[in-house]
PDB file of all heavy atoms in Angstrom:
ATOM      1  N   SER A 949      -8.727 -52.772-119.574  1.00 76.00           N
ATOM      2  CA  SER A 949      -9.650 -53.768-120.097  1.00 76.00           C
ATOM      3  C   SER A 949     -10.758 -54.051-119.099  1.00 76.00           C
ATOM      4  O   SER A 949     -10.556 -54.001-117.901  1.00 76.00           O
ATOM      5  CB  SER A 949      -8.903 -55.052-120.418  1.00 76.00           C
ATOM      6  OG  SER A 949      -9.789 -55.969-121.017  1.00 76.00           O
ATOM      7  N   GLY A 950     -11.917 -54.349-119.611  1.00 82.00           N
ATOM      8  CA  GLY A 950     -13.084 -54.631-118.778  1.00 82.00           C
ATOM      9  C   GLY A 950     -14.308 -53.994-119.397  1.00 82.00           C
ATOM     10  O   GLY A 950     -14.320 -53.660-120.587  1.00 82.00           O
ATOM     11  N   THR A 951     -15.329 -53.812-118.594  1.00 87.00           N
ATOM     12  CA  THR A 951     -16.583 -53.260-119.125  1.00 87.00           C
ATOM     13  C   THR A 951     -16.423 -51.815-119.594  1.00 87.00           C
ATOM     14  O   THR A 951     -17.196 -51.354-120.428  1.00 87.00           O
ATOM     15  CB  THR A 951     -17.721 -53.345-118.090  1.00 87.00           C
ATOM     16  OG1 THR A 951     -17.301 -52.694-116.888  1.00 87.00           O
ATOM     17  CG2 THR A 951     -18.101 -54.786-117.813  1.00 87.00           C
ATOM     18  N   ALA A 952     -15.413 -51.116-119.083  1.00 91.00           N
ATOM     19  CA  ALA A 952     -15.175 -49.745-119.545  1.00 91.00           C
ATOM     20  C   ALA A 952     -14.879 -49.716-121.045  1.00 91.00           C
ATOM     21  O   ALA A 952     -15.254 -48.759-121.733  1.00 91.00           O
ATOM     22  CB  ALA A 952     -14.037 -49.106-118.760  1.00 91.00           C
ATOM     23  N   THR A 953     -14.240 -50.769-121.569  1.00 93.00           N
ATOM     24  CA  THR A 953     -13.957 -50.804-123.003  1.00 93.00           C
ATOM     25  C   THR A 953     -15.250 -50.869-123.814  1.00 93.00           C
ATOM     26  O   THR A 953     -15.341 -50.303-124.898  1.00 93.00           O
ATOM     27  CB  THR A 953     -13.060 -51.999-123.394  1.00 93.00           C
ATOM     28  OG1 THR A 953     -13.720 -53.224-123.077  1.00 93.00           O
ATOM     29  CG2 THR A 953     -11.720 -51.930-122.699  1.00 93.00           C
ATOM     30  N   LEU A 954     -16.250 -51.542-123.266  1.00 94.00           N
ATOM     31  CA  LEU A 954     -17.537 -51.614-123.956  1.00 94.00           C
ATOM     32  C   LEU A 954     -18.215 -50.247-123.943  1.00 94.00           C
ATOM     33  O   LEU A 954     -18.800 -49.830-124.945  1.00 94.00           O
ATOM     34  CB  LEU A 954     -18.436 -52.673-123.312  1.00 94.00           C
ATOM     35  CG  LEU A 954     -19.767 -52.931-124.004  1.00 94.00           C
ATOM     36  CD1 LEU A 954     -19.568 -53.325-125.467  1.00 94.00           C
ATOM     37  CD2 LEU A 954     -20.539 -54.021-123.265  1.00 94.00           C
ATOM     38  N   GLU A 955     -18.128 -49.539-122.820  1.00 94.00           N
ATOM     39  CA  GLU A 955     -18.710 -48.195-122.744  1.00 94.00           C
ATOM     40  C   GLU A 955     -18.063 -47.282-123.785  1.00 94.00           C
ATOM     41  O   GLU A 955     -18.762 -46.568-124.507  1.00 94.00           O
ATOM     42  CB  GLU A 955     -18.522 -47.602-121.345  1.00 94.00           C
ATOM     43  CG  GLU A 955     -19.100 -46.196-121.221  1.00 94.00           C
ATOM     44  CD  GLU A 955     -18.905 -45.570-119.854  1.00 94.00           C
ATOM     45  OE1 GLU A 955     -18.217 -46.146-118.993  1.00 94.00           O
ATOM     46  OE2 GLU A 955     -19.449 -44.472-119.646  1.00 94.00           O
ATOM     47  N   VAL A 956     -16.744 -47.331-123.889  1.00 96.00           N
ATOM     48  CA  VAL A 956     -16.035 -46.499-124.864  1.00 96.00           C
ATOM     49  C   VAL A 956     -16.442 -46.907-126.281  1.00 96.00           C
ATOM     50  O   VAL A 956     -16.697 -46.059-127.137  1.00 96.00           O
ATOM     51  CB  VAL A 956     -14.506 -46.597-124.666  1.00 96.00           C
ATOM     52  CG1 VAL A 956     -13.764 -45.817-125.746  1.00 96.00           C
ATOM     53  CG2 VAL A 956     -14.106 -46.101-123.272  1.00 96.00           C
ATOM     54  N   ALA A 957     -16.530 -48.216-126.526  1.00 96.00           N
ATOM     55  CA  ALA A 957     -16.902 -48.713-127.862  1.00 96.00           C
ATOM     56  C   ALA A 957     -18.312 -48.290-128.244  1.00 96.00           C
ATOM     57  O   ALA A 957     -18.561 -47.901-129.383  1.00 96.00           O
ATOM     58  CB  ALA A 957     -16.784 -50.229-127.906  1.00 96.00           C
ATOM     59  N   LEU A 958     -19.246 -48.360-127.291  1.00 95.00           N
ATOM     60  CA  LEU A 958     -20.629 -47.977-127.592  1.00 95.00           C
ATOM     61  C   LEU A 958     -20.748 -46.488-127.901  1.00 95.00           C
ATOM     62  O   LEU A 958     -21.683 -46.066-128.582  1.00 95.00           O
ATOM     63  CB  LEU A 958     -21.558 -48.376-126.450  1.00 95.00           C
ATOM     64  CG  LEU A 958     -21.774 -49.886-126.303  1.00 95.00           C
ATOM     65  CD1 LEU A 958     -22.549 -50.205-125.028  1.00 95.00           C
ATOM     66  CD2 LEU A 958     -22.472 -50.465-127.528  1.00 95.00           C
ATOM     67  N   LEU A 959     -19.799 -45.710-127.427  1.00 96.00           N
ATOM     68  CA  LEU A 959     -19.751 -44.286-127.776  1.00 96.00           C
ATOM     69  C   LEU A 959     -18.921 -44.054-129.037  1.00 96.00           C
ATOM     70  O   LEU A 959     -18.761 -42.922-129.485  1.00 96.00           O
ATOM     71  CB  LEU A 959     -19.196 -43.477-126.607  1.00 96.00           C
ATOM     72  CG  LEU A 959     -20.093 -43.441-125.365  1.00 96.00           C
ATOM     73  CD1 LEU A 959     -19.359 -42.836-124.177  1.00 96.00           C
ATOM     74  CD2 LEU A 959     -21.384 -42.694-125.649  1.00 96.00           C
ATOM     75  N   ALA A 960     -18.385 -45.156-129.602  1.00 96.00           N
ATOM     76  CA  ALA A 960     -17.615 -45.140-130.864  1.00 96.00           C
ATOM     77  C   ALA A 960     -16.408 -44.207-130.799  1.00 96.00           C
ATOM     78  O   ALA A 960     -16.138 -43.451-131.726  1.00 96.00           O
ATOM     79  CB  ALA A 960     -18.521 -44.797-132.042  1.00 96.00           C
ATOM     80  N   VAL A 961     -15.671 -44.291-129.691  1.00 97.00           N
ATOM     81  CA  VAL A 961     -14.465 -43.478-129.523  1.00 97.00           C
ATOM     82  C   VAL A 961     -13.235 -44.389-129.636  1.00 97.00           C
ATOM     83  O   VAL A 961     -13.173 -45.424-128.971  1.00 97.00           O
ATOM     84  CB  VAL A 961     -14.483 -42.757-128.154  1.00 97.00           C
ATOM     85  CG1 VAL A 961     -13.195 -41.985-127.931  1.00 97.00           C
ATOM     86  CG2 VAL A 961     -15.689 -41.825-128.052  1.00 97.00           C
ATOM     87  N   PRO A 962     -12.273 -44.020-130.475  1.00 98.00           N
ATOM     88  CA  PRO A 962     -11.051 -44.807-130.572  1.00 98.00           C
ATOM     89  C   PRO A 962     -10.390 -44.958-129.201  1.00 98.00           C
ATOM     90  O   PRO A 962     -10.475 -44.064-128.353  1.00 98.00           O
ATOM     91  CB  PRO A 962     -10.165 -43.978-131.516  1.00 98.00           C
ATOM     92  CG  PRO A 962     -11.158 -43.222-132.355  1.00 98.00           C
ATOM     93  CD  PRO A 962     -12.279 -42.879-131.403  1.00 98.00           C
ATOM     94  N   MET A 963      -9.723 -46.108-129.002  1.00 97.00           N
ATOM     95  CA  MET A 963      -9.126 -46.379-127.696  1.00 97.00           C
ATOM     96  C   MET A 963      -7.885 -47.238-127.826  1.00 97.00           C
ATOM     97  O   MET A 963      -7.698 -47.936-128.816  1.00 97.00           O
ATOM     98  CB  MET A 963     -10.137 -47.086-126.797  1.00 97.00           C
ATOM     99  CG  MET A 963     -10.446 -48.520-127.232  1.00 97.00           C
ATOM    100  SD  MET A 963     -11.774 -49.288-126.293  1.00 97.00           S
ATOM    101  CE  MET A 963     -13.167 -48.933-127.373  1.00 97.00           C
ATOM    102  N   VAL A 964      -7.071 -47.162-126.786  1.00 97.00           N
ATOM    103  CA  VAL A 964      -5.972 -48.095-126.579  1.00 97.00           C
ATOM    104  C   VAL A 964      -6.316 -48.811-125.287  1.00 97.00           C
ATOM    105  O   VAL A 964      -6.566 -48.176-124.258  1.00 97.00           O
ATOM    106  CB  VAL A 964      -4.611 -47.375-126.451  1.00 97.00           C
ATOM    107  CG1 VAL A 964      -3.507 -48.377-126.119  1.00 97.00           C
ATOM    108  CG2 VAL A 964      -4.284 -46.604-127.722  1.00 97.00           C
ATOM    109  N   VAL A 965      -6.363 -50.140-125.338  1.00 96.00           N
ATOM    110  CA  VAL A 965      -6.732 -50.947-124.175  1.00 96.00           C
ATOM    111  C   VAL A 965      -5.461 -51.445-123.503  1.00 96.00           C
ATOM    112  O   VAL A 965      -4.573 -51.981-124.169  1.00 96.00           O
ATOM    113  CB  VAL A 965      -7.605 -52.152-124.602  1.00 96.00           C
ATOM    114  CG1 VAL A 965      -7.955 -53.007-123.393  1.00 96.00           C
ATOM    115  CG2 VAL A 965      -8.872 -51.663-125.306  1.00 96.00           C
ATOM    116  N   VAL A 966      -5.385 -51.233-122.197  1.00 94.00           N
ATOM    117  CA  VAL A 966      -4.232 -51.709-121.429  1.00 94.00           C
ATOM    118  C   VAL A 966      -4.721 -52.666-120.346  1.00 94.00           C
ATOM    119  O   VAL A 966      -5.786 -52.483-119.773  1.00 94.00           O
ATOM    120  CB  VAL A 966      -3.428 -50.546-120.810  1.00 94.00           C
ATOM    121  CG1 VAL A 966      -2.817 -49.680-121.892  1.00 94.00           C
ATOM    122  CG2 VAL A 966      -4.279 -49.695-119.887  1.00 94.00           C
ATOM    123  N   TYR A 967      -3.928 -53.696-120.122  1.00 89.00           N
ATOM    124  CA  TYR A 967      -4.299 -54.710-119.126  1.00 89.00           C
ATOM    125  C   TYR A 967      -3.031 -55.227-118.469  1.00 89.00           C
ATOM    126  O   TYR A 967      -2.190 -55.832-119.127  1.00 89.00           O
ATOM    127  CB  TYR A 967      -5.044 -55.851-119.810  1.00 89.00           C
ATOM    128  CG  TYR A 967      -5.679 -56.826-118.868  1.00 89.00           C
ATOM    129  CD1 TYR A 967      -6.792 -56.471-118.114  1.00 89.00           C
ATOM    130  CD2 TYR A 967      -5.172 -58.108-118.728  1.00 89.00           C
ATOM    131  CE1 TYR A 967      -7.384 -57.372-117.238  1.00 89.00           C
ATOM    132  CE2 TYR A 967      -5.760 -59.017-117.862  1.00 89.00           C
ATOM    133  CZ  TYR A 967      -6.872 -58.635-117.123  1.00 89.00           C
ATOM    134  OH  TYR A 967      -7.449 -59.533-116.262  1.00 89.00           O
ATOM    135  N   LYS A 968      -2.888 -54.916-117.181  1.00 84.00           N
ATOM    136  CA  LYS A 968      -1.685 -55.332-116.467  1.00 84.00           C
ATOM    137  C   LYS A 968      -2.054 -55.771-115.056  1.00 84.00           C
ATOM    138  O   LYS A 968      -2.735 -55.063-114.330  1.00 84.00           O
ATOM    139  CB  LYS A 968      -0.686 -54.167-116.413  1.00 84.00           C
ATOM    140  CG  LYS A 968       0.683 -54.549-115.943  1.00 84.00           C
ATOM    141  CD  LYS A 968       1.623 -53.378-116.136  1.00 84.00           C
ATOM    142  CE  LYS A 968       3.061 -53.778-115.917  1.00 84.00           C
ATOM    143  NZ  LYS A 968       3.963 -52.639-116.171  1.00 84.00           N
ATOM    144  N   LEU A 969      -1.599 -56.957-114.704  1.00 74.00           N
ATOM    145  CA  LEU A 969      -1.824 -57.526-113.376  1.00 74.00           C
ATOM    146  C   LEU A 969      -0.482 -57.729-112.690  1.00 74.00           C
ATOM    147  O   LEU A 969       0.571 -57.612-113.323  1.00 74.00           O
ATOM    148  CB  LEU A 969      -2.514 -58.887-113.500  1.00 74.00           C
ATOM    149  CG  LEU A 969      -3.898 -58.939-114.131  1.00 74.00           C
ATOM    150  CD1 LEU A 969      -4.281 -60.383-114.409  1.00 74.00           C
ATOM    151  CD2 LEU A 969      -4.914 -58.283-113.219  1.00 74.00           C
ATOM    152  N   SER A 970      -0.522 -58.100-111.420  1.00 71.00           N
ATOM    153  CA  SER A 970       0.721 -58.506-110.761  1.00 71.00           C
ATOM    154  C   SER A 970       1.240 -59.732-111.505  1.00 71.00           C
ATOM    155  O   SER A 970       0.473 -60.451-112.163  1.00 71.00           O
ATOM    156  CB  SER A 970       0.475 -58.839-109.293  1.00 71.00           C
ATOM    157  OG  SER A 970      -0.254 -60.055-109.192  1.00 71.00           O
ATOM    158  N   LYS A 971       2.522 -60.005-111.400  1.00 74.00           N
ATOM    159  CA  LYS A 971       3.117 -61.133-112.133  1.00 74.00           C
ATOM    160  C   LYS A 971       2.454 -62.457-111.756  1.00 74.00           C
ATOM    161  O   LYS A 971       2.159 -63.284-112.619  1.00 74.00           O
ATOM    162  CB  LYS A 971       4.624 -61.194-111.883  1.00 74.00           C
ATOM    163  CG  LYS A 971       5.357 -60.083-112.581  1.00 74.00           C
ATOM    164  CD  LYS A 971       6.841 -60.121-112.315  1.00 74.00           C
ATOM    165  CE  LYS A 971       7.481 -58.931-113.006  1.00 74.00           C
ATOM    166  NZ  LYS A 971       8.888 -58.826-112.752  1.00 74.00           N
ATOM    167  N   VAL A 972       2.201 -62.647-110.475  1.00 82.00           N
ATOM    168  CA  VAL A 972       1.574 -63.894-110.020  1.00 82.00           C
ATOM    169  C   VAL A 972       0.160 -64.018-110.570  1.00 82.00           C
ATOM    170  O   VAL A 972      -0.227 -65.051-111.124  1.00 82.00           O
ATOM    171  CB  VAL A 972       1.572 -63.980-108.470  1.00 82.00           C
ATOM    172  CG1 VAL A 972       0.762 -65.168-107.994  1.00 82.00           C
ATOM    173  CG2 VAL A 972       2.994 -64.042-107.943  1.00 82.00           C
TER     174      VAL A 972
END
Side-chain angles (χ1 to χ4, degrees):
S949 184
T951 55
T953 62
L954 185 57
E955 179 181 6
V956 176
L958 290 172
L959 293 170
V961 176
M963 70 187 95
V964 175
V965 179
V966 296
Y967 190 71
K968 191 171 190 177
L969 298 169
S970 71
K971 288 179 183 177
V972 172

